[in-house]
Amino acid sequence: MSIPSQRTGQAPAPGASPSAPAPAPNSPFRGLGRSFDAALARGLGHITRRALGPYQTAIVRIGFAVTVLGFLLHEWPNRRLMYGPDSAWSFDMASRFVENSGAFTLLLWSDSGLWFELVYHLTIAAAVAMLLGWRTRAASMLFMIGILSVQNRSIFMGDGGDNVIHLMAMYLVLTRCGQVWSLDARRRARRPDLGPSDDRVGIVLWAVLGVALLAALVSGSVDSWIWSLFLSGMWLVHGYWWLIRRYAPGEPRVVSDIVANLVHNAALLMIMAEVCVIYATAGWYKIQGSRWQDGTAVYYPMNLDYFNVWPEVSELLSSSGPMIMVLSYGTVIVQVAFPFALLNRRAKNVLLVLMMGEHIGIALLMGLPFFSLAMIAMDAVFLPTAFLLWMGARASGLRARLTRRKPAPPEAPPPPAPAEQRPPAWAAKG
């Protein structure tokens, strides 16, 4: 009769010594190093081969361009009173404030009314260029400069939406937000053989902006060394990109493209993190408020004359205690839960719908359309790609019906880099 092994509880193999130890089980960490290396290589290849989220960055670009353009046109009759020479926040007061804060604005370079009109309308033109996706690299810089100039001229004229626009305008400069749904993408699709030397409009635009920047630096208008380095660096980067495309299409172009993708993906990550920080901060601060704790916080702004756009609707909602409680607690729950909902796709999509619905309600009931548009444009970075493609197809169909043209096929994301522009082997393995 065989003696069961004390180590395994099973009979020893025939011919084996009863006292021989059983073989040790395989380590659970066996092969972990190779798996980790393969996963790391796949991850590096994923973030270096292409700019992620082309449709998400495009919808964010369009959303903020629409918001800024709508705001500037809405305030156009009162522009001089709000941000110009007739503002109650006078030129001298604004200049002293900017000297202490270090904020950047072109509108304090001169107190001339002509200069104000030029900057204001150039900002409108930059918003239109961003909306259409025309020369998005240069347009994003002009868009950011125009927004900073207008907002920092009269700092007391804005609200929370202005802060969001302020931040997102700077992030969009670092993204490749014109990959799809832009005139740039259409030009590349129609003229794939167009070389850098054939792009005369881009060369002229780059030269004009360089002359303007040189004049500003020489005259001392840009007195901040940080802004001087940033503006000069961005202009040089655009020139470097043209030179690389023109004279070094091999490995230097590959490396430059990898760096550009990394910068884009890092900026996209910052936009997503900014959304989470804004909602988490707002939600946790609300929790500390007594009115939010007892579920009555929404009641008070709905009964202020400043926010009471539709008195009958506001009165109908505020007269219902359960409705006020649901809106108050629902706002806090959605804002606090959103960063955690990103771990689950379905929960994230549900909360996105709720938050966008909340902002639409704020726009209609409280008369804050541009704040709501800015928040919805910010939330759009988390929209699923399938939904964005469906929305783009519907927009193309509507445009075709209006123009009586054949609907265009859904726009595809940029193709992978050609063979001579692919990343190194270590980034492509796995």
Side-chain angles (χ1 to χ4, degrees):
M1 183 178 69
S2 61
I3 302 175
S5 172
Q6 297 180 358
R7 183 182 298 270
T8 65
Q10 299 177 355
S17 174
S19 59
N26 293 331
S27 170
F29 303 103
R30 182 181 180 182
L32 182 61
R34 291 192 300 271
S35 300
F36 176 78
D37 292 342
L40 181 62
R42 284 195 301 270
L44 289 175
H46 191 60
I47 64 175
T48 56
R49 279 196 293 265
R50 61 191 179 95
L52 302 176
Y55 297 99
Q56 284 76 10
T57 51
I59 198 65
V60 170
R61 182 200 85 228
I62 294 171
F64 279 100
V66 169
T67 303
V68 173
L69 182 61
F71 175 79
L72 294 177
L73 294 179
H74 179 266
E75 303 300 341
W76 191 84
N78 305 311
R79 64 192 184 281
R80 297 176 67 90
L81 184 62
M82 295 181 63
Y83 301 103
D86 302 333
S87 174
W89 187 247
S90 66
F91 184 87
D92 293 336
M93 295 170 64
S95 299
R96 288 198 298 269
F97 180 85
V98 167
E99 287 178 1
N100 295 329
S101 65
F104 177 83
T105 173
L106 300 181
L107 291 179
L108 294 181
W109 289 6
S110 172
D111 58 353
S112 168
L114 180 61
W115 175 249
F116 165 76
E117 297 291 347
L118 177 62
V119 173
Y120 193 91
H121 289 88
L122 281 178
T123 306
I124 293 177
V128 173
M130 285 290 284
L131 174 61
L132 300 178
W134 183 79
R135 307 289 171 177
T136 49
R137 286 179 182 151
S140 62
M141 283 294 300
L142 296 176
F143 186 68
M144 180 198 71
I145 292 173
I147 288 174
L148 297 182
S149 299
V150 172
Q151 290 186 355
N152 292 335
R153 170 59 179 85
S154 298
I155 59 171
F156 298 110
M157 299 304 299
D159 51 29
D162 291 341
N163 295 330
V164 173
I165 295 173
H166 192 112
L167 292 171
M168 294 300 166
M170 292 189 289
Y171 293 146
L172 284 174
V173 170
L174 304 177
T175 64
R176 305 176 109 176
C177 55
Q179 298 179 93
V180 296
W181 296 342
S182 65
L183 295 179
D184 292 344
R186 189 175 71 170
R187 184 179 66 253
R188 289 191 295 266
R190 289 183 174 182
R191 297 287 305 277
D193 56 339
L194 186 66
S197 58
D198 300 325
D199 187 12
R200 296 182 177 85
V201 175
I203 296 173
V204 171
L205 182 61
W206 179 79
V208 170
L209 294 178
V211 171
L213 176 61
L214 181 62
L217 295 175
V218 171
S219 64
S221 299
V222 184
D223 54 359
S224 169
W225 65 271
I226 296 178
W227 281 105
S228 299
L229 289 178
F230 176 75
L231 296 176
S232 302
M234 293 301 296
W235 184 80
L236 291 174
V237 164
H238 289 174
Y240 166 82
W241 189 258
W242 184 88
L243 292 175
I244 285 294
R245 292 176 57 208
R246 178 68 175 84
Y247 297 107
E251 185 174 353
R253 170 66 188 277
V254 174
V255 176
S256 300
D257 203 50
I258 289 175
V259 172
N261 290 336
L262 288 174
V263 172
H264 166 94
N265 295 331
L268 180 60
L269 179 62
M270 285 299 300
I271 293 175
M272 294 179 174
E274 191 70 40
V275 177
C276 295
V277 168
I278 289 175
Y279 282 121
T281 303
W284 286 106
Y285 269 106
K286 285 182 174 68
I287 289 177
Q288 303 175 40
S290 59
R291 300 306 181 196
W292 291 99
Q293 292 175 7
D294 59 27
T296 61
V298 175
Y299 172 84
Y300 299 98
M302 293 179 65
N303 287 274
L304 292 175
D305 293 337
Y306 183 78
F307 296 113
N308 205 338
V309 180
W310 306 97
E312 296 81 5
V313 179
S314 298
E315 183 179 357
L316 178 63
L317 293 175
S318 61
S319 62
S320 174
M323 178 62 68
I324 292 296
M325 184 182 66
V326 169
L327 292 176
S328 299
Y329 286 151
T331 300
V332 175
I333 292 172
V334 168
Q335 291 181 351
V336 173
F338 180 73
F340 303 100
L342 297 180
L343 301 176
N344 184 277
R345 183 182 60 183
R346 293 182 179 178
K348 181 260 295 183
N349 293 338
V350 171
L351 289 187
L352 272 179
V353 173
L354 293 177
M355 287 192 302
M356 290 184 176
E358 174 189 346
H359 295 314
I360 293 174
I362 291 174
L364 297 177
L365 296 178
M366 302 180 65
L368 297 173
F370 300 112
F371 167 80
S372 297
L373 277 175
M375 299 301 292
I376 291 175
M378 179 184 68
D379 296 340
V381 72
F382 289 107
L383 288 175
T385 302
F387 172 76
L388 293 176
L389 289 173
W390 174 85
M391 188 171 63
R394 300 287 80 75
S396 298
L398 177 61
R399 183 183 62 181
R401 285 193 296 271
L402 293 176
T403 59
R404 296 182 179 179
R405 293 180 180 178
K406 184 178 179 180
E411 189 171 353
E420 66 273 12
Q421 298 180 8
R422 288 176 182 167
W426 60 264
K429 288 182 178 180

